[in-house]
C-alpha cells in the first residue's frame, strides 16, 4: 500500500510530503509530479516518484494500486478545465480500486465562482463510488502574506471585502490535516470543513503588518470593479482577477469566516494565527 500525493511539487504538496515522511517510511510514499527534476530531492530521500500530468490521462494508467490512499490536490490551471483534470485522477483511482481518495476542496459555505470546480469535482468523486474524504480547505494565510511587497511599497492593504473576516490558517496546517487523514483510520466517506480557529479582518491584518514592519499600513477597501482593475493592472488575466474579486465578495458576506474547529481537531494543535504568518513572511 502506498500513499500517493498528486501535485507533490506544489506548495501544499511539499508540506504534505514532509509531514508524511515524519509518519511513514519513505518507500510507502509516492509523489506524483510533472517535472521529475524538481523532485530529485524527494527521490534522494527514498520517496517514489511518478511522472504524470492531469492533462494527459494516459500518464495515470497503472499509477495507482488497490489499497492505495490518494490525495488529489486540486489543480490551478483554471483555463484548462479543472474538473476534467480532476476526473482523470478519480477515474484512474476508481479503476485501480484505491482504499481512499482525499480531495482538497473549497469550504461548503463558499458561493463564489472559485467553488464551482470544487463542487463539480466533489460530485464526480461521490459518483465514482470510491471511499472519499473531502478536505474543504479554507483560505490560506499565505494568500496574503506571500504578496507583501506591494503592501509595504504602497502602505496599504487593498481588498474588495469591506468589513468581512477570514478564518485563515497556514498552508502547513492544511497539509497536516491531509497527513492525518492519509495516515489515520476511520476517515472513509468524511467531509471536513477546515478553517482557522479565529477569523481576522483586513484592518487588523493591516495593523499587524504595520506593527511587524514598522511602516504605516492602512486598509483601503475598494469596489469590486476597482479591485479587478488593480489585479489586471498587476498582470493577472481578467478571468482570474474576476474570480479572486468574487472571493472578496464572499468574504464580505462572511462566507470565509466560519470556524468549525475541524482543522485543529484533525491536526491536534491550534491553527497558525495571521500574526505568526505575517512575522514569518517578513523574516523570510
Amino acid at each position: 500500500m502506498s500513499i500517493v500525493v498528486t501535485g507533490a511539487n506544489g506548495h501544499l504538496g511539499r508540506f504534505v510530503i514532509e509531514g508524511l515522511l515524519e509518519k511513514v517510511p519513505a518507500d510507502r510514499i509516492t509523489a506524483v509530479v510533472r517535472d521529475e527534476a524538481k523532485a530529485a530531492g524527494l527521490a534522494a530521500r527514498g520517496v517514489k516518484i511518478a511522472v504524470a500530468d492531469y492533462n494527459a490521462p494516459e500518464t495515470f494508467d497503472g499509477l495507482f494500486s488497490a489499497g492505495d490512499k490518494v490525495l488529489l490536490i486540486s489543480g490551478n490551471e483554471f483555463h484548462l478545465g479543472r474538473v476534467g483534470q480532476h476526473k482523470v485522477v478519480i477515474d484512474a483511482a476508481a479503476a485501480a480500486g484505491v482504499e481512499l481518495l482525499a480531495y482538497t476542496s473549497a469550504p461548503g459555505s463558499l458561493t463564489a465562482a472559485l467553488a464551482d470546480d470544487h463542487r463539480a469535482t466533489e460530485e464526480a468523486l461521490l459518483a465514482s463510488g470510491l471511499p472519499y474524504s473531502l478536505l474543504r480547505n479554507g483560505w490560506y494565510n499565505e494568500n496574503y502574506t506571500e504578496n507583501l511587497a506591494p503592501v509595504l511599497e504602497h502602505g496599504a492593504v487593498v481588498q474588495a471585502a469591506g468589513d468581512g473576516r477570514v478564518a485563515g490558517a497556514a498552508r502547513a496546517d492544511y497539509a497536516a490535516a491531509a497527513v492525518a487523514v492519509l495516515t489515520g483510520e476511520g476517515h472513509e466517506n468524511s467531509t471536513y470543513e477546515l478553517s482557522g480557529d479565529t477569523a481576522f479582518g483586513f484592518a487588523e491584518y493591516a495593523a499587524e503588518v504595520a506593527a511587524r514592519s514598522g511602516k504605516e499600513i492602512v486598509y483601503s477597501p475598494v469596489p469590486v470593479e476597482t479591485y479587478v482593475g488593480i489585479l489586471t493592472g498587476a498582470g493577472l488575466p481578467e478571468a482570474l482577477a474576476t474570480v479572486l474579486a468574487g472571493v472578496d465578495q464572499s468574504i464580505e458576506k462572511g462566507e470565509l469566516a466560519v470556524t468549525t474547529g475541524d482543522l485543529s481537531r484533525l491536526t491536534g494543535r491550534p491553527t497558525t494565527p495571521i500574526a505568526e504568518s505575517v512575522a514569518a513572511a517578513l523574516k523570510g
Side-chain angles (χ1 to χ4, degrees):
M1 187 273 281
S2 206
I3 297 176
V4 187
V5 179
T6 73
N9 271 339
H11 291 305
L12 182 65
R14 285 280 177 169
F15 276 119
V16 172
I17 296 291
E18 290 298 333
L20 288 172
L21 283 167
E22 295 177 6
K23 300 257 189 178
V24 298
D27 63 4
R28 282 188 51 208
I29 304 167
T30 300
V32 181
V33 301
R34 290 181 180 177
D35 187 339
E36 190 169 11
K38 290 182 180 177
L42 295 178
R45 295 165 69 184
V47 175
K48 295 177 182 175
I49 307 298
V51 179
D53 189 325
Y54 294 157
N55 300 304
E58 68 279 2
T59 61
F60 280 91
D61 289 348
L63 196 155
F64 304 120
S65 300
D68 284 352
K69 290 184 178 180
V70 179
L71 176 64
L72 168 54
I73 295 180
S74 57
N76 57 10
E77 295 174 320
F78 295 88
H79 61 295
L80 291 180
R82 293 196 298 167
V83 180
Q85 291 179 328
H86 299 158
K87 285 183 73 174
V88 165
V89 180
I90 292 168
D91 290 347
V98 304
E99 183 178 325
L100 179 75
L101 193 147
Y103 170 65
T104 61
S105 193
S109 56
L110 186 65
T111 63
L114 180 71
D116 293 348
D117 287 351
H118 292 296
R119 295 290 92 83
T121 300
E122 288 185 5
E123 290 173 9
L125 178 51
L126 268 61
S128 74
L130 282 169
Y132 66 87
S133 183
L134 302 180
L135 305 177
R136 290 179 169 171
N137 287 355
W139 222 224
Y140 299 167
N141 289 347
E142 289 90 345
N143 289 343
Y144 305 109
T145 61
E146 284 181 349
N147 194 32
L148 281 175
V151 172
L152 297 171
E153 180 184 350
H154 300 291
V157 171
V158 181
Q159 302 287 152
D163 294 326
R165 302 179 70 77
V166 179
R171 192 178 277 119
D173 296 330
Y174 294 106
V179 169
V181 166
L182 293 168
T183 60
E185 300 297 331
H187 298 290
E188 295 81 7
N189 304 330
S190 60
T191 300
Y192 296 107
E193 295 288 348
L194 305 176
S195 60
D197 294 333
T198 58
F200 63 88
F202 289 103
E204 295 167 48
Y205 171 62
E208 192 62 46
V209 176
R212 300 274 181 175
S213 67
K215 296 178 180 289
E216 185 175 339
I217 310 286
V218 298
Y219 171 43
S220 177
V222 297
V224 169
E225 297 77 14
T226 302
Y227 189 53
V228 170
I230 290 170
L231 294 176
T232 54
L236 265 65
E238 186 168 356
L240 179 56
T242 301
V243 166
L244 294 177
V247 172
D248 269 22
Q249 288 179 292
S250 284
I251 290 172
E252 186 170 22
K253 295 174 189 172
E255 294 176 8
L256 287 181
V258 180
T259 55
T260 65
D262 279 0
L263 183 50
S264 52
R265 277 191 292 271
L266 271 179
T267 62
R269 68 186 193 219
T271 61
T272 306
I274 188 64
E276 193 174 316
S277 293
V278 169
L282 289 171
K283 278 181 191 171

